Amino acid sequence: MAVERTFSILKPDATARSLTGEINAVIEGAGLKIVAQKRIRMSQAQAEGFYGVHKERPFFKDLVKFMTSGPVVVQVLEGENAVAKYREIMGATNPYNAAPGTIRRRYASNIEANTVHGSDSLENAKTEIAFFFKDDEIVG
Ligand code: CMP
């Protein structure tokens, strides 16, 4: 296994309920190091660009609206096998399908307001990290 970096978002439904600290404790408890983090208000252009891969999907407009509806916390997580490990502790996209104990099963309301985002591959992690962070903002 190799040390990897993955990209994470704590979504507006997480910040609205002040869950940043609680979710960060889960992330750190799983052995992932938060090597960059900032709380931002995502612009419409940022949300449309970040989720560009979904632009033909029926949920795209609502997703952009949701992601710009309140502050989000964008993060870079580092650790052994970080991409897969974070996906494991997040749980399935739809919280109703997420395993017990996962972040989405514990905190998410529905498939849209699903509390967290995590990169689905190492390649996408690199692109997503570069979308929100400059190299010197990441301190490993
Ligand atoms: P995320 O992992 O951030 O990637 C795309 C997001 O689209 C997803 O989490 C959900 O928040 C949102 N979404 C809304 N509806 C759907 C759907 N039917 N299938 C997949 N993702 C959806």
Side-chain angles (χ1 to χ4, degrees), residues 7-73:
F7 177 72
S8 159
I9 307 176
L10 311 188
K11 296 188 179 185
D13 64 303
T15 60
R17 290 176 288 162
S18 297
L19 289 172
T20 302
E22 217 166 305
I23 295 171
N24 279 352
V26 175
I27 290 170
E28 291 182 333
L32 293 169
K33 204 180 277 184
I34 302 164
V35 293
Q37 171 170 267
K38 56 190 172 189
R39 182 176 167 105
I40 62 166
R41 189 74 184 236
M42 225 185 253
S43 67
Q44 169 118 357
Q46 278 177 315
E48 286 176 353
F50 181 78
Y51 281 119
V53 64
H54 296 304
K55 73 171 177 293
E56 304 304 331
R57 307 283 289 274
F59 58 81
F60 180 70
K61 214 168 147 213
D62 284 344
L63 174 62
V64 169
K65 199 167 162 198
F66 170 63
M67 292 302 292
T68 57
S69 68
V72 300
V73 177

